[in-house]
Amino acid sequence: MGFDEEWGRLRAAAVSAGARPSAVDPTAQAREAALEQLADFRSRVVLVPLDPRGGLWTAELGGLDWRCVFSDEEALGRFAEARGEGDREWTYRRVVGARLLDELVPALDFPCGVAWNAAGPDGTVFPPIRGIVPDAAALGGEAAA
């Protein structure tokens, strides 16, 4: 039996068994990866640097405020070095990611996202949009509008 005959036989057997080639949807894969990363962040205790007044430190980038948070002191150190502030002491609070997104960001009177491990190879951002923060704190929500 030649290749064409064998290939035809295998395809016919797959069709009769109900097997269909699976199509990979890159959008669905990206969405799933983002949701996994969000779930991972929500379950972690993260370090949130404090400003000189003892409040949670915020940076402005692209017209939006961001809470910069870090998975550990090494990640915070990389960020400090990237800012040219590696020689100063950075005080911080430990906060559970879910509390940061569900309580602390919504308590602000301005829209604010979360930048996790900025200046690191595994950095990511969680913008203030529905599905990440409560609707009222999301861009386009009541409080952030």
Side-chain angles (χ1 to χ4, degrees):
M1 180 181 309
F3 175 80
D4 290 337
E5 292 169 318
E6 180 68 14
W7 178 250
R9 188 184 67 72
L10 291 172
R11 282 184 46 93
V15 168
S16 67
R20 300 276 183 238
S22 63
V24 176
D25 180 1
T27 302
Q29 284 182 328
R31 181 177 293 116
E32 184 64 29
L35 290 173
E36 287 176 14
Q37 195 166 31
L38 177 61
D40 181 36
F41 175 79
R42 292 179 65 78
S43 69
R44 286 182 180 250
V45 174
V46 296
L47 310 181
V48 185
L50 301 178
D51 66 20
R53 297 174 310 207
L56 301 182
W57 191 79
T58 303
E60 189 275 328
L61 178 66
L64 189 63
D65 288 274
W66 297 90
R67 296 282 191 205
C68 295
V69 304
F70 304 92
S71 55
D72 53 34
E73 288 180 345
E74 182 180 324
L76 175 56
R78 280 193 308 267
F79 177 75
E81 287 294 326
R83 291 182 52 83
E85 300 180 51
D87 57 341
R88 80 170 179 92
E89 182 178 340
W90 286 72
T91 56
Y92 57 83
R93 285 185 58 194
R94 295 179 192 275
V95 178
V96 175
R99 182 167 184 247
L100 187 65
L101 294 173
D102 297 343
E103 297 174 25
L104 300 176
V105 168
L108 301 170
D109 59 356
F110 55 90
C112 185
V114 174
W116 185 23
N117 289 335
D122 57 345
T124 192
V125 294
F126 300 111
I129 59 173
R130 287 182 172 95
I132 294 179
V133 298
D135 289 352
L139 290 173
E142 292 176 22

